[in-house]
Amino acid sequence: TSAAITLLGGSVAAVVVWKWLSKKMIQKKMEEARRTRDEGLKKMAKAVQQFREQVPRVQTDAILSLPLLGLTGRLQEGSLSPRTVLYTYIEKVSALEVNQQTNCLRHFIPECEEQLQEIQQQKEKGLLYGIPVSIKDHIGHKGQLSTCGLVQFLDTQMKEDSVLVKVLKRQGAIPFAMTNVPQSLFSYDCSNPIFGQTLNPFNHQKSPGGSSGGEGALIAAGGSILGIGSDIGGSIRLPSSFCGLCGLKPTAERLSVWHIHLLNVDIYSHPTSVPCALGPMARDVDSLALCMKALLCQEMFQLDPTVPPIPFNGEVYCSSTPLRVGYYDTDGYFPLPPCMRRVVKETRNALQAAGHQMVPFSPPRIPFVMTELFLKTFFGDGGHAWLNVFTGDIIDPSLKPQVNSCKIPRLVKKLLALLLKPLVTIPPSLKDVMISTCRSVKDMWNHHHQIQVYRSEFITRWKELHLDVMLCPVLGPAFTTGYPGKLLTAISSTMLYNVLNFPAGVVPVSTVTEADEEELKLYQGCCDDPWDRTLRQAVSGGVGLPVAVQCVALPWQEELCLRFMKEVETLSREK
């Protein structure tokens, strides 16, 4: 007996020591990654200093204040040099007011100096000649890490540029920075244990959104003029909403995703399910249009034959024909704060006054879409595949509510749903997440079929009303950090158009007012339950933060979506 006890004690001690050593190894890797990032920042700061000594008289503020179209014009005509523009933006990022305050940068791309030399030798100037571009952490760049905020990927450098980065470079752009993301990308906050929490530049108590949160913070703070993000549930549109930017999620197949570290898609998705889309983020709609025009070129179509060879249609983007616009200010699933509904109504009135025809619309069966179509795509196996990506990692606190929920056995989830139902009001969202899984291959194929059926139903309703585009709300204003992890189902406004695979963009049109904040105190949501109260807490204290609307078109009609976004932007600026 004593031998058995000794053996058991030794085994327990060995497990404890092994866990301690594993944790120390993880912490060592994270410290090394942070040290490498800091060294990169110092090197770039030194390069800026050398440039300043050589070219002392640079009108920094004038360059940083130029919109993308104005900057490209100056670069094309030669009145500004790519070198001056690049180091002006690098200086802005490495300065105290951007990265040290928001923690938006994952790493500078040292190869940007090589690309600077490369474009000056090109025979023709591309559409983005000399433009510094920031890219999200998982968009592959040769020689750089693609971490997805996970320790396990800190040893893996990308062996080649993604197709999208190759096309950017061919068009003369200079990728110069990679931006921070939430751990595993599956969050609309922006925090991971390696590089920490990214903050909203307008209010450091608030999140920049996610998962393209580093992009949102960097562009909003003035450290980048154009960025590339990705979107599988709102990851371009939510940071754009939280940070007051314009962002476009195209139809998923419109831009190449080859050589992108698509952690979520590799694990959860299927080409016929809910695909990931790459898209631009910037300060205005014209910048998004220019970026799409530059990317939709022969180089893209040749490098990735799966991308339909459809060049950008400038005629559609520049059209002034009155539109027939569907609109709604709530999807009937997760009631948004009063300011978000207010701006949809104000935008509807402005569009109507400008001569557009406004048609009320009600999106069908959103509770079913959220739980049976969207969440089942990612958690159809009970969340096991997602949990596996955290093996050998420290879980970020912002993800713990979701991780803990996934760890509950399916039978226990069912029992909890039944036991809690008479005691508290459980939103359908929570109850369905608890029990919504694919239990067989037949279930999985039926799930894919249901998505196709829903897409057909939605398009049929759209066509019956003869709509051109849709105006609808987007989640916002910016949440206090830590709250996105508590309200996963609040993203119903954006996830709908991932399930449908429609192009959808976000345009800032207003800011939170004192009156909005007062009205928020009376907000009760569905039934003033704990989730409604959590939303109220998440968005409170937001006076002055950006408030946006969402603009949508049918698949492959990115140009029409952008044209509608431009109309909304113009009307909001006139107001």
Side-chain angles (χ1 to χ4, degrees):
T1 305
S2 60
I5 292 170
T6 303
L7 183 62
L8 181 63
S11 300
V12 169
V15 168
V16 169
V17 170
W18 179 77
K19 283 189 173 182
W20 180 80
L21 287 172
S22 297
K23 193 171 182 180
K24 291 292 284 183
M25 184 74 74
I26 290 169
Q27 287 171 340
K28 187 178 178 183
K29 278 189 173 184
M30 293 194 299
E31 286 166 8
E32 179 63 30
R34 287 191 286 268
R35 188 159 52 249
T36 302
R37 177 182 67 167
D38 294 343
E39 286 170 2
L41 284 165
K42 287 175 185 174
K43 282 181 183 177
M44 281 300 175
K46 190 175 180 181
V48 168
Q49 187 180 353
Q50 288 173 347
F51 169 73
R52 278 293 189 185
E53 288 168 359
Q54 295 165 7
V55 188
R57 294 182 181 178
V58 174
Q59 294 179 317
T60 301
D61 292 341
I63 293 170
L64 293 172
S65 65
L66 282 170
L68 182 61
L69 264 61
L71 184 58
T72 54
R74 295 282 302 275
L75 285 161
Q76 294 281 350
E77 71 185 19
S79 61
L80 274 176
S81 73
R83 186 165 177 251
T84 298
V85 174
L86 175 63
Y87 284 115
T88 297
Y89 271 95
I90 290 175
E91 183 179 35
K92 176 73 174 176
V93 178
S94 56
L96 292 175
E97 72 259 33
V98 176
N99 191 56
Q100 288 195 22
Q101 287 191 11
T102 63
N103 190 37
C104 55
L105 198 69
R106 201 214 71 200
H107 209 284
F108 272 123
I109 300 172
E111 292 85 355
C112 67
E113 294 179 297
E114 294 173 21
Q115 173 64 3
L116 181 63
Q117 302 303 318
E118 187 76 26
I119 64 166
Q120 290 171 335
Q121 294 169 12
Q122 289 176 355
K123 291 180 181 178
E124 292 183 13
K125 293 179 179 178
L127 291 176
L128 296 173
Y129 174 75
I131 298 297
V133 176
S134 51
I135 57 176
K136 188 175 178 178
D137 165 279
H138 72 126
I139 295 173
H141 189 292
K142 185 178 179 180
Q144 294 298 306
L145 298 174
S146 178
T147 70
C148 301
L150 292 159
V151 172
Q152 61 180 292
F153 298 125
L154 286 175
D155 299 325
T156 311
Q157 287 188 342
M158 300 301 286
K159 294 179 180 177
E160 64 176 308
D161 287 336
S162 58
V163 167
L164 192 130
V165 167
K166 286 178 182 176
V167 177
L168 283 171
K169 288 181 176 180
R170 184 59 63 94
Q171 288 285 17
I174 305 174
F176 79 108
M178 303 195 80
T179 50
N180 203 29
V181 292
Q183 189 179 31
S184 84
L185 307 181
F186 199 75
S187 169
Y188 62 100
D189 204 340
C190 192
S191 176
N192 64 71
I194 308 166
F195 302 108
Q197 172 79 53
T198 300
L199 303 173
N200 192 307
F202 292 110
N203 181 335
H204 295 163
Q205 305 303 312
K206 298 289 183 177
S207 168
S211 60
S212 309
E215 280 301 317
L218 180 61
I219 299 166
S224 174
I225 196 166
L226 179 65
I228 305 294
S230 63
D231 193 311
I232 201 169
S235 292
I236 287 172
R237 290 160 291 159
L238 293 171
S240 297
S241 170
F242 284 19
C243 293
L245 301 174
C246 296
L248 175 71
K249 179 205 80 69
T251 310
E253 298 82 3
R254 192 82 197 260
L255 297 177
S256 174
V257 294
W258 277 19
H259 307 301
I260 305 294
H261 193 170
L262 294 176
L263 179 70
N264 287 346
V265 177
D266 291 344
I267 293 171
Y268 308 114
S269 201
H270 181 279
T272 59
S273 187
V274 181
C276 179
L278 300 186
M281 299 166 68
R283 299 174 206 162
D284 56 54
V285 178
D286 279 340
S287 300
L288 306 182
L290 177 62
C291 183
M292 290 298 289
K293 183 180 179 181
L295 291 172
L296 295 171
C297 63
Q298 285 305 311
E299 185 81 7
M300 172 79 75
F301 309 143
Q302 287 168 7
L303 287 170
D304 184 352
T306 67
V307 174
I310 310 170
F312 188 83
N313 190 331
E315 192 176 325
V316 171
Y317 178 61
C318 296
S319 170
S320 57
T321 308
L323 297 168
R324 189 170 166 87
V325 184
Y327 70 90
Y328 59 92
D329 65 4
T330 179
D331 61 16
Y333 178 75
F334 203 105
L336 296 178
C339 61
M340 308 313 288
R341 300 182 73 171
R342 168 179 66 80
V343 293
V344 171
K345 290 172 183 173
E346 289 175 355
T347 305
R348 175 201 67 192
N349 294 340
L351 287 164
Q352 192 161 356
H356 300 284
Q357 195 171 357
M358 307 305 294
V359 182
F361 186 87
S362 179
R365 302 191 291 148
I366 299 301
F368 167 79
V369 179
M370 186 69 190
T371 57
E372 288 300 315
L373 301 186
F374 181 74
L375 287 170
K376 191 179 274 190
T377 297
F378 302 100
F379 298 107
D381 64 347
H384 296 300
W386 183 58
L387 289 175
N388 286 341
V389 307
F390 298 104
T391 303
D393 242 296
I394 294 170
I395 295 170
D396 193 81
S398 67
L399 285 177
K400 283 188 175 174
Q402 290 161 239
V403 169
N404 292 338
S405 174
C406 285
K407 285 181 176 178
I408 302 171
R410 185 172 178 274
L411 182 61
V412 175
K413 289 178 186 177
K414 273 190 169 184
L415 289 171
L416 277 172
L418 290 170
L419 290 170
L420 290 172
K421 191 173 181 181
L423 301 175
V424 294
T425 306
I426 299 183
S429 54
L430 182 69
K431 185 177 73 174
D432 291 342
V433 168
M434 283 179 162
I435 62 174
S436 184
T437 55
C438 291
R439 285 173 285 175
S440 66
V441 173
K442 184 180 177 182
D443 274 359
M444 184 189 73
W445 285 118
N446 183 52
H447 169 246
H448 293 321
H449 172 68
Q450 286 178 330
I451 288 177
Q452 296 303 323
V453 168
Y454 182 78
R455 284 174 182 161
S456 298
E457 176 188 343
F458 198 99
I459 290 170
T460 299
R461 186 174 293 194
W462 182 298
K463 291 289 188 182
E464 284 172 352
L465 294 170
H466 305 288
L467 303 179
D468 295 311
V469 288
M470 186 77 71
L471 171 71
C472 53
V474 61
L475 182 62
F479 280 23
T480 299
T481 53
Y483 275 88
K486 302 173 185 178
L487 289 165
L488 176 61
T489 55
I491 64 169
S492 60
S493 60
T494 50
M495 72 80 209
L496 172 63
Y497 296 106
N498 294 93
V499 171
L500 290 168
N501 197 15
F502 286 13
V506 161
V507 183
V509 293
S510 184
T511 55
V512 180
T513 64
E514 293 284 359
D516 290 328
E517 196 75 6
E518 284 302 310
E519 197 174 346
L520 179 65
K521 294 174 183 176
L522 305 174
Y523 168 90
Q524 293 189 334
C526 280
C527 38
D528 201 26
D529 60 24
W531 288 269
D532 293 324
R533 290 194 288 274
T534 301
L535 179 71
R536 191 163 61 229
Q537 293 164 8
V539 299
S540 65
V543 173
L545 289 176
V547 182
V549 295
Q550 186 171 204
C551 304
V552 185
L554 289 173
W556 309 108
Q557 294 187 9
E558 281 72 21
E559 295 88 344
L560 182 59
C561 184
L562 286 164
R563 182 254 150 126
F564 181 42
M565 291 169 68
K566 178 68 177 175
E567 184 80 4
V568 168
E569 178 185 63
T570 302
L571 292 171
S572 71
R573 288 180 176 181
E574 286 174 0
K575 183 187 70 176

